[in-house]
Amino acid sequence: MIDLRVNGTPYTVDGSPLRPLAGVLREELGLTGTKLGCEAGDCGACTVLLDGQAVASCLLPAVRAEGKTVTTVEGLGAPGHPHPLQEAFKRHAASQCGFCIPGILMAATEIVARPGPLTRADVVAGLTGNLCRCTGYAAVIDAVLDAHAQLHPAAQTQETTATPGAPDA
């Protein structure tokens, strides 16, 4: 058995050595926002935060979460008080079918937590492990930059706020 904290709630769960964290989250805790896509760590659908760092929960043995804090997409925002990323994804229509979005949101949560300026290239690099078959990535990148601007208004530079292809003001 292992002890961990998921979305602020302490749990004791089955810590079989080879059981992936994604399975524990989905099967034992009922947190089905964590999706299983490739189950090889290539698609990013299973991304969660482990002590604030984005990880592929399909590859991470649950025992590695012992004593740590896990945040899933269900832990972002609260009913009636969405996280700035969730609001930005809505504003930018940054999702289609939604299967990949929980993992993208979790990877983006790590990205927007970074203080200082954030560029499109930073977002692209941060989301490299998250694949989407439906949306293309422009709206997702715009949403991440928008959320970062909301969370860190003093960190914005012309590069982070300029619209691609638009003339400089």
Side-chain angles (χ1 to χ4, degrees), residues 14-108:
D14 176 13
S16 300
L18 298 178
R19 188 163 191 213
L21 179 60
V24 168
L25 295 171
R26 292 181 57 79
E27 297 157 17
E28 280 196 47
L29 304 183
L31 299 171
T32 57
T34 301
K35 304 299 184 202
L36 289 172
C38 67
E39 297 187 52
D42 292 329
C43 74
C46 68
T47 303
V48 299
L49 299 181
L50 184 67
D51 285 344
Q53 185 173 28
V55 297
S57 66
C58 72
L59 295 180
L60 186 76
V63 296
R64 297 273 312 273
E66 170 75 39
K68 299 191 179 197
T69 298
V70 177
T71 306
T72 69
V73 70
E74 292 91 346
L76 287 183
H81 300 286
H83 188 280
L85 269 169
Q86 293 166 315
E87 288 287 346
F89 271 61
K90 181 179 174 183
R91 271 193 304 280
H92 291 272
S95 65
Q96 298 272 321
C97 82
F99 188 83
C100 66
I101 294 302
I104 290 174
L105 281 167
M106 298 316 297

Side-chain angles (χ1 to χ4, degrees), residues 75-78 80-92 94 105 108-109 112-113 139-153:
L76 287 183
H81 300 286
H83 188 280
L85 269 169
Q86 293 166 315
E87 288 287 346
F89 271 61
K90 181 179 174 183
R91 271 193 304 280
H92 291 272
L105 281 167
T109 299
V112 300
V140 169
I141 294 164
D142 290 342
V144 174
L145 289 168
D146 182 4
H148 186 268
Q150 298 295 314
L151 293 166
H152 308 284

